Amino acid sequence: MANSFPSGGGNRPGGYNRRNSNRSPFAGIRRNHRIRVPEVRVISPEGKQLGVLPTATAISLALEVGLELVEVAPAARPPVCRIMDFGKYVYEESKKTSHAKVTASKIKEIELTPRIEQHDFETKIRHAEEFLSHGSKVKLRLKFRGREMARTELGFDVIRRAIADLEGMGHPDSEPRLIGRNINMMITPLPENKRKPKYYHPHHHEAAAEDDEPRAHAKKAESAHAEDSANEAASAQPAPAAGADE
Protein backbone atom coordinates (compact mmCIF):
# COMPACT_ATOMS: atom_id res chain seq x y z
CA MET A 1 0.00 0.00 0.00
CA ALA A 2 1.27 3.47 -0.82
CA ASN A 3 2.40 5.52 2.15
CA SER A 4 0.08 8.52 2.56
CA PHE A 5 2.43 10.37 4.94
CA PRO A 6 4.94 12.88 3.55
CA SER A 7 8.47 11.57 3.40
CA GLY A 8 11.82 13.19 3.69
CA GLY A 9 10.67 15.91 6.06
CA GLY A 10 9.51 18.27 3.29
CA ASN A 11 11.90 21.10 2.51
CA ARG A 12 13.02 21.55 6.10
CA PRO A 13 16.49 20.40 7.13
CA GLY A 14 16.55 17.90 9.92
CA GLY A 15 14.23 15.28 8.43
CA TYR A 16 10.90 16.39 9.95
CA ASN A 17 8.37 19.17 9.67
CA ARG A 18 7.57 21.30 12.69
CA ARG A 19 3.80 21.54 12.72
CA ASN A 20 3.37 24.50 15.05
CA SER A 21 6.02 27.23 15.12
CA ASN A 22 3.90 29.37 17.46
CA ARG A 23 3.42 26.70 20.11
CA SER A 24 2.82 27.48 23.77
CA PRO A 25 5.91 28.46 25.81
CA PHE A 26 4.91 25.67 28.24
CA ALA A 27 4.99 22.99 25.55
CA GLY A 28 8.69 22.30 26.13
CA ILE A 29 8.23 21.44 29.81
CA ARG A 30 8.61 17.69 30.26
CA ARG A 31 6.11 15.88 32.44
CA ASN A 32 5.07 12.32 33.25
CA HIS A 33 6.25 9.82 30.63
CA ARG A 34 8.13 12.50 28.65
CA ILE A 35 10.69 12.49 31.48
CA ARG A 36 13.25 9.98 30.19
CA VAL A 37 15.91 9.91 32.93
CA PRO A 38 15.91 6.85 35.22
CA GLU A 39 15.53 8.79 38.49
CA VAL A 40 14.51 12.26 39.66
CA ARG A 41 14.50 14.35 42.82
CA VAL A 42 10.85 14.76 43.81
CA ILE A 43 9.01 17.62 45.54
CA SER A 44 5.50 17.04 46.88
CA PRO A 45 2.52 19.34 46.06
CA GLU A 46 3.05 20.98 49.48
CA GLY A 47 6.74 21.69 48.73
CA LYS A 48 8.15 18.86 50.82
CA GLN A 49 11.32 17.09 49.64
CA LEU A 50 10.60 13.41 48.91
CA GLY A 51 14.19 12.60 47.92
CA VAL A 52 15.53 10.84 44.81
CA LEU A 53 13.10 8.27 43.40
CA PRO A 54 12.90 6.11 40.27
CA THR A 55 11.06 8.12 37.63
CA ALA A 56 8.36 5.45 37.22
CA THR A 57 7.67 5.51 40.98
CA ALA A 58 7.45 9.32 41.00
CA ILE A 59 5.00 9.27 38.10
CA SER A 60 2.85 6.70 39.88
CA LEU A 61 2.79 8.87 43.03
CA ALA A 62 1.59 11.85 41.00
CA LEU A 63 -1.09 9.95 39.11
CA GLU A 64 -2.41 8.37 42.32
CA VAL A 65 -3.43 11.81 43.62
CA GLY A 66 -4.75 13.01 40.25
CA LEU A 67 -1.77 15.27 39.52
CA GLU A 68 1.25 15.24 37.20
CA LEU A 69 5.00 14.92 37.64
CA VAL A 70 6.52 18.07 36.14
CA GLU A 71 10.20 18.70 35.51
CA VAL A 72 11.05 22.06 37.11
CA ALA A 73 14.88 21.99 37.08
CA PRO A 74 16.07 19.90 34.09
CA ALA A 75 19.71 21.03 34.44
CA ALA A 76 20.08 19.59 37.95
CA ARG A 77 21.59 16.16 38.48
CA PRO A 78 19.30 14.35 38.89
CA PRO A 79 16.59 16.63 37.45
CA VAL A 80 14.16 18.10 39.99
CA CYS A 81 10.48 17.34 39.45
CA ARG A 82 7.41 18.51 41.32
CA ILE A 83 4.03 16.85 41.70
CA MET A 84 1.49 19.51 40.72
CA ASP A 85 -1.65 20.47 38.84
CA PHE A 86 0.03 21.43 35.56
CA GLY A 87 -3.10 22.98 34.05
CA LYS A 88 -3.50 25.30 37.03
CA TYR A 89 0.19 26.20 36.86
CA VAL A 90 -0.08 27.16 33.17
CA TYR A 91 -3.20 29.25 33.86
CA GLU A 92 -1.59 31.18 36.71
CA GLU A 93 1.64 31.85 34.78
CA SER A 94 -0.33 33.02 31.73
CA LYS A 95 -2.35 35.34 33.96
CA LYS A 96 0.83 36.87 35.38
CA THR A 97 2.19 37.49 31.88
CA SER A 98 -1.08 39.05 30.76
CA HIS A 99 -1.17 41.32 33.80
CA ALA A 100 2.41 42.46 33.13
CA LYS A 101 1.48 43.41 29.53
CA VAL A 102 -1.58 45.34 30.69
CA THR A 103 0.48 47.22 33.28
CA ALA A 104 3.08 48.13 30.68
CA SER A 105 0.40 49.47 28.33
CA LYS A 106 -1.01 51.74 31.08
CA ILE A 107 1.88 54.23 30.95
CA LYS A 108 1.00 57.61 29.43
CA GLU A 109 3.59 60.18 28.38
CA ILE A 110 3.46 63.96 28.83
CA GLU A 111 6.08 66.00 26.97
CA LEU A 112 7.25 69.35 28.32
CA THR A 113 9.76 72.01 27.20
CA PRO A 114 12.05 74.30 29.25
CA ARG A 115 10.27 77.49 28.10
CA ILE A 116 6.69 76.22 28.12
CA GLU A 117 3.99 78.91 28.48
CA GLN A 118 1.87 78.85 31.64
CA HIS A 119 -1.37 78.05 29.78
CA ASP A 120 0.26 75.16 27.90
CA PHE A 121 1.83 73.94 31.15
CA GLU A 122 -1.56 73.86 32.90
CA THR A 123 -3.09 72.00 29.94
CA LYS A 124 -0.33 69.37 30.13
CA ILE A 125 -0.81 68.98 33.89
CA ARG A 126 -4.57 68.64 33.42
CA HIS A 127 -4.01 65.80 30.93
CA ALA A 128 -1.57 64.15 33.36
CA GLU A 129 -4.16 64.39 36.16
CA GLU A 130 -6.75 62.81 33.88
CA PHE A 131 -4.44 59.87 33.12
CA LEU A 132 -3.62 59.43 36.81
CA SER A 133 -7.33 59.55 37.70
CA HIS A 134 -7.82 56.52 35.43
CA GLY A 135 -5.08 54.61 37.26
CA SER A 136 -2.37 55.00 34.61
CA LYS A 137 1.23 55.86 35.36
CA VAL A 138 2.47 59.08 33.78
CA LYS A 139 5.94 59.55 32.32
CA LEU A 140 7.03 63.19 32.28
CA ARG A 141 9.60 63.87 29.58
CA LEU A 142 11.24 67.27 29.12
CA LYS A 143 13.29 67.62 25.96
CA PHE A 144 16.09 70.15 25.42
CA ARG A 145 16.70 71.50 21.92
CA GLY A 146 19.87 73.13 20.63
CA ARG A 147 21.31 75.72 23.01
CA GLU A 148 18.74 74.93 25.70
CA MET A 149 21.26 72.36 26.98
CA ALA A 150 23.29 75.30 28.35
CA ARG A 151 20.46 76.06 30.83
CA THR A 152 19.34 72.66 32.05
CA GLU A 153 18.28 74.21 35.38
CA LEU A 154 15.29 75.74 33.55
CA GLY A 155 14.14 72.24 32.61
CA PHE A 156 14.56 70.95 36.15
CA ASP A 157 12.51 73.91 37.43
CA VAL A 158 9.66 72.96 35.06
CA ILE A 159 9.80 69.32 36.17
CA ARG A 160 9.74 70.35 39.83
CA ARG A 161 6.70 72.56 39.17
CA ALA A 162 4.96 69.64 37.49
CA ILE A 163 5.71 67.33 40.42
CA ALA A 164 4.38 69.94 42.87
CA ASP A 165 1.16 70.43 40.88
CA LEU A 166 0.64 66.66 40.59
CA GLU A 167 1.29 65.85 44.25
CA GLY A 168 -2.47 65.57 44.85
CA MET A 169 -2.74 62.83 42.20
CA GLY A 170 0.52 60.91 42.24
CA HIS A 171 4.04 60.63 43.58
CA PRO A 172 7.38 60.42 41.71
CA ASP A 173 9.05 57.01 41.60
CA SER A 174 12.53 58.58 41.80
CA GLU A 175 14.41 61.87 41.47
CA PRO A 176 14.33 63.52 38.01
CA ARG A 177 17.39 62.59 35.95
CA LEU A 178 18.98 64.06 32.85
CA ILE A 179 19.56 61.34 30.24
CA GLY A 180 21.06 62.70 27.04
CA ARG A 181 18.84 65.64 26.08
CA ASN A 182 15.85 64.50 28.16
CA ILE A 183 14.77 64.75 31.77
CA ASN A 184 12.61 61.73 32.59
CA MET A 185 10.32 61.21 35.56
CA MET A 186 7.70 58.54 36.30
CA ILE A 187 4.62 59.44 38.35
CA THR A 188 2.59 56.67 40.05
CA PRO A 189 -1.06 57.41 40.90
CA LEU A 190 -2.10 57.72 44.54
CA PRO A 191 -4.83 55.46 45.94
CA GLU A 192 -8.17 56.50 44.50
CA ASN A 193 -9.53 57.83 47.81
CA LYS A 194 -6.53 60.17 48.23
CA ARG A 195 -6.50 61.80 44.79
CA LYS A 196 -7.14 65.56 44.70
CA PRO A 197 -6.75 67.06 41.21
CA LYS A 198 -5.74 70.69 40.85
CA TYR A 199 -6.85 71.34 37.27
CA TYR A 200 -8.79 68.28 36.08
CA HIS A 201 -12.44 68.19 37.17
CA PRO A 202 -14.30 65.54 35.15
CA HIS A 203 -17.78 66.68 36.23
CA HIS A 204 -17.06 70.23 35.10
CA HIS A 205 -15.91 68.98 31.70
CA GLU A 206 -19.03 66.85 31.31
CA ALA A 207 -21.29 69.77 32.29
CA ALA A 208 -19.53 72.07 29.83
CA ALA A 209 -19.97 69.49 27.09
CA GLU A 210 -23.67 69.19 27.93
CA ASP A 211 -24.08 73.00 27.84
CA ASP A 212 -22.31 73.24 24.50
CA GLU A 213 -24.49 70.60 22.87
CA PRO A 214 -27.81 72.62 22.94
CA ARG A 215 -25.92 75.68 21.69
CA ALA A 216 -24.57 73.70 18.78
CA HIS A 217 -28.03 72.42 17.89
CA ALA A 218 -29.51 75.94 18.14
CA LYS A 219 -26.78 77.36 15.92
CA LYS A 220 -27.34 74.61 13.36
CA ALA A 221 -31.11 75.24 13.37
CA GLU A 222 -30.57 78.99 12.99
CA SER A 223 -28.28 78.43 10.04
CA ALA A 224 -30.80 76.10 8.39
CA HIS A 225 -33.60 78.64 8.93
CA ALA A 226 -31.53 81.43 7.36
CA GLU A 227 -30.79 79.22 4.35
CA ASP A 228 -34.53 78.43 3.91
CA SER A 229 -35.41 82.15 4.10
CA ALA A 230 -32.82 82.97 1.43
CA ASN A 231 -34.21 80.25 -0.84
CA GLU A 232 -37.79 81.56 -0.39
CA ALA A 233 -36.70 85.12 -1.19
CA ALA A 234 -34.95 83.97 -4.31
CA SER A 235 -38.01 82.05 -5.52
CA ALA A 236 -40.27 85.10 -4.89
CA GLN A 237 -38.35 87.34 -7.34
CA PRO A 238 -40.61 88.17 -10.38
CA ALA A 239 -39.49 86.71 -13.67
CA PRO A 240 -38.52 89.33 -16.29
CA ALA A 241 -41.43 90.28 -18.60
CA ALA A 242 -41.37 88.84 -22.06
CA GLY A 243 -40.11 91.33 -24.57
CA ALA A 244 -38.87 93.76 -21.94
CA ASP A 245 -35.66 94.27 -23.87
CA GLU A 246 -37.41 95.01 -27.12
Side-chain angles (χ1 to χ4, degrees):
M1 182 184 349
N3 188 352
S4 60
F5 295 100
S7 58
N11 295 325
R12 292 181 179 274
Y16 69 95
N17 186 12
R18 293 184 177 89
R19 291 179 294 176
N20 187 4
S21 58
N22 296 320
R23 64 181 184 171
S24 165
F26 304 102
I29 299 177
R30 287 187 286 267
R31 58 189 190 276
N32 297 337
H33 299 290
R34 290 180 59 194
I35 302 170
R36 303 294 187 183
V37 293
E39 58 183 19
V40 293
R41 186 176 299 278
V42 184
I43 303 173
S44 74
E46 297 78 24
K48 182 181 177 182
Q49 295 279 349
L50 301 181
V52 177
L53 300 174
T55 303
T57 302
I59 293 172
S60 297
L61 286 176
L63 297 179
E64 282 175 7
V65 292
L67 299 175
E68 296 183 81
L69 184 70
V70 180
E71 191 177 58
V72 294
R77 289 294 177 268
V80 179
C81 295
R82 182 162 187 163
I83 297 172
M84 67 168 72
D85 183 338
F86 186 69
K88 183 179 179 181
Y89 167 76
V90 169
Y91 171 76
E92 290 176 349
E93 290 299 311
S94 299
K95 193 173 179 181
K96 289 178 186 176
T97 304
S98 176
H99 177 71
K101 290 179 180 178
V102 169
T103 302
S105 69
K106 291 179 68 176
I107 296 177
K108 305 294 184 180
E109 185 170 306
I110 297 292
E111 187 170 323
L112 304 167
T113 59
R115 301 181 185 277
I116 188 170
E117 297 290 337
Q118 181 62 24
H119 174 73
D120 293 337
F121 176 81
E122 292 177 4
T123 299
K124 297 280 189 178
I125 297 302
R126 184 167 59 250
H127 288 321
E129 288 182 333
E130 181 179 0
F131 295 144
L132 291 167
S133 72
H134 294 153
S136 299
K137 283 192 169 189
V138 171
K139 179 182 179 181
L140 299 178
R141 184 168 73 92
L142 188 141
K143 185 175 183 180
F144 294 100
R145 294 180 175 85
R147 296 181 180 179
E148 291 176 345
M149 283 296 293
R151 299 288 306 276
T152 57
E153 69 275 9
L154 295 178
F156 279 99
D157 286 343
V158 172
I159 287 290
R160 281 190 283 267
R161 282 169 53 204
I163 294 171
D165 282 356
L166 290 170
E167 66 181 358
M169 294 296 292
H171 60 84
D173 289 356
S174 61
E175 291 295 319
R177 293 183 301 168
L178 178 64
I179 302 176
R181 287 183 170 270
N182 299 308
I183 298 175
N184 296 315
M185 164 64 61
M186 190 71 73
I187 305 290
T188 297
L190 294 174
E192 192 169 353
N193 61 343
K194 294 184 179 180
R195 297 173 193 166
K196 296 178 180 178
K198 183 175 182 179
Y199 299 106
Y200 175 67
H201 302 289
H203 298 300
H204 292 177
H205 287 289
E206 291 169 6
E210 290 174 0
D211 290 342
D212 288 341
E213 189 174 351
R215 292 195 192 103
H217 284 302
K219 189 173 181 180
K220 186 176 180 181
E222 184 180 346
S223 176
H225 179 70
E227 186 177 349
D228 290 342
S229 298
N231 291 336
E232 289 176 4
S235 62
Q237 293 291 335
D245 294 335
E246 293 178 0

